[in-house]
Amino acid sequence: MPAPILPLIEAASRWPERGALVGLDLGTKTIGVAVSDPDRRLATGVETIQRKAFKADAARLLAISSERKVVGFVLGLPINMDGSEGPRAQSTRAFARNLANLTDLPIGLWDERLSTAAVERELIGMDVSRARRAEVIDTHAAIFILQGALDRLATLRRSGQ
């Protein structure tokens, strides 16, 4: 049976209390990958996967999830500023469906509006060269996405929801 693909809050109810999560920033050429600690407090960059074919990309993601003993995935869902979903969001949903057929780990979708732009501004502010920004932007976007999701889940836990 395929893994469930749900909005973040609903996916969180399917994850155990503790356990690392993998955060993904899906680009057309690369996939930025970040992983949380088991207590889900801090997101750390792992790598940027150069996209090849889905099977190869998925095999690397599943290897990372196994190595890091993760309990779920958080995929950045690129929603348009007006709240609609365009081609990139549909592509992300298709990727999630295909990945769900290969794992039983619940997949949470998290609104990633402006994540890459925010990371780009931060890297420019740190005076990172254009070439270096190109190398690290996807992993940093994955960190941004996963940390945003972790912070949201922590807020919900504190408020008892």
Side-chain angles (χ1 to χ4, degrees):
M1 186 162 88
I5 303 166
L6 304 162
L8 179 73
I9 306 311
E10 292 174 40
S13 68
R14 306 278 184 107
W15 295 323
E17 197 77 17
R18 284 189 84 241
L21 299 173
V22 171
L24 304 175
D25 176 49
L26 297 176
T28 54
K29 296 179 183 169
T30 60
I31 302 172
V33 183
V35 177
S36 76
D37 62 292
D39 291 322
R40 301 185 195 145
R41 292 198 176 111
L42 186 64
T44 306
V46 175
E47 69 182 79
T48 298
I49 298 171
Q50 296 301 316
R51 292 189 77 169
K52 296 177 180 108
F54 172 78
K55 283 190 177 191
D57 301 344
R60 182 65 194 131
L61 292 172
L62 294 174
I64 291 168
S65 67
S66 177
E67 291 162 12
R68 307 266 178 163
K69 298 177 176 54
V70 305
V71 298
F73 290 94
V74 175
L75 262 70
L77 185 64
I79 297 173
N80 294 326
M81 292 310 290
D82 66 1
S84 65
E85 291 189 15
R88 287 190 60 233
Q90 295 308 316
S91 175
T92 297
R93 287 187 182 279
F95 185 94
R97 283 192 302 274
N98 290 333
L99 183 61
N101 288 323
L102 302 176
T103 183
D104 57 355
L105 300 176
I107 299 170
L109 300 175
W110 177 244
D111 181 352
E112 67 141 300
R113 268 180 271 201
L114 300 180
S115 61
T116 302
V119 169
E120 179 93 22
R121 277 194 308 277
E122 187 176 315
L123 293 171
I124 289 170
M126 294 167 39
D127 205 26
V128 176
S129 73
R130 183 182 307 255
R132 181 71 180 132
R133 285 195 313 265
E135 291 173 16
V136 302
I137 191 113
D138 297 306
T139 301
H140 282 260
I143 295 167
F144 188 89
I145 289 164
L146 183 55
Q147 191 63 56
L150 297 174
D151 293 348
R152 178 71 178 125
L153 293 174
T155 300
L156 290 174
R157 274 195 307 274
R158 282 193 299 274
S159 67
Q161 291 182 348

